[in-house]
Amino acid sequence: MDPVFQGNGIPKGQGQAILLIPGFTAGDWTFNTMSPWLQQIGYRTHLSGINVNVGCPQRKVERMLGRLEDISKEAGGPIVIIGHSLGGLVGCALARQRPELVRHVIAIGSPLRDGWQAVTPEVRPTLFAIHSFFQKFIEAPEGCGTERCMCEFSKEARGAELPPGVRFTSIYSLHDGIVDWKFAATENGDNYEVEGLHTDLVVNVEVYRILSNVLTGYPREIVKLRSMAAEASDIKTGKPSAPANFPPESSCQPG
């Protein structure tokens, strides 16, 4: 129902390449809405090849390095990575290992530091149980995903900065329900706060409006002003509220 999903009234891309990486226990199907939308507004999207994002994240990063190289080569330069939840951390790890291939990482609802402490206490035991269950069936180093793990991904997931020249954006919700927003905000890039639940962020109208402006290269102040103007226009024209899973728009406020 919102014009944003039709590509109306938002900046357009020029065919830039974007790699989409899903979150924990999710797969490329997560982006069944976002990927066609990005293509509609002028970008070339590439999926990760991940069916279910479980197992050792470090090994997942190592396997994806080849895909990153292929996409960057086809694009003729560094690309953008958009990752939801754990996918944002995988995107950051890829950028740290091959910064010459990545120009911008956008993390949506990602626990950017302190590992499992970034997950809200109410759901942390359940998610850790799921992780432990899959570890029994997928070959992984001992202690993978715990504080005992000392792989590069685990060390980076505690909050390491991205290399110079790689832009970083975090989009998060105070009412995420799974990731504590205090661990989703970053001191090493731009922050945008939206309304919505964790799993809905990949189909969230505020997120899409922010993405359209951020991908164009607008600085944070301009993105905020454009979002405020869009909200004022919605109020003036009396645009109907969006249906369930698509929260009403509000101005995106940098954290």
Side-chain angles (χ1 to χ4, degrees), residues 75-185:
I79 69 168
V80 176
I81 297 177
I82 298 176
H84 177 233
S85 193
L86 176 62
L89 295 183
V90 173
C92 288
L94 290 170
R96 292 186 187 104
Q97 293 198 31
R98 297 298 304 274
E100 75 280 10
L101 303 181
V102 181
R103 63 183 178 86
H104 192 176
V105 176
I106 303 174
I108 302 174
S110 297
L112 299 177
R113 59 185 182 279
D114 293 348
W116 287 101
Q117 296 303 311
V119 178
T120 56
E122 293 80 6
V123 299
R124 189 183 306 155
T126 301
L127 294 185
F128 187 75
I130 294 173
H131 171 77
S132 300
F133 173 80
F134 278 104
Q135 295 299 77
K136 297 178 181 179
F137 302 97
I138 299 175
E139 182 181 356
E142 184 178 355
C144 179
T146 71
E147 293 181 355
R148 301 194 310 275
C149 183
M150 295 304 295
C151 74
E152 286 302 313
F153 183 88
S154 292
K155 290 187 287 186
E156 291 171 344
R158 297 187 182 114
E161 295 185 25
L162 292 185
V166 179
R167 186 180 177 189
F168 183 61
T169 298
S170 177
I171 303 173
Y172 62 89
S173 170
L174 295 181
H175 309 292
D176 182 291
I178 293 179
V179 175
D180 185 332
W181 72 269
K182 294 187 292 295
F183 297 93

Side-chain angles (χ1 to χ4, degrees), residues 202-223:
V202 290
V203 289
N204 182 303
V205 65
E206 291 183 81
V207 172
Y208 280 40
R209 177 167 283 125
I210 291 169
L211 284 176
S212 70
N213 286 282
V214 167
L215 288 169
T216 306
Y218 289 124
R220 183 176 61 180
E221 293 76 13
I222 300 300
V223 175

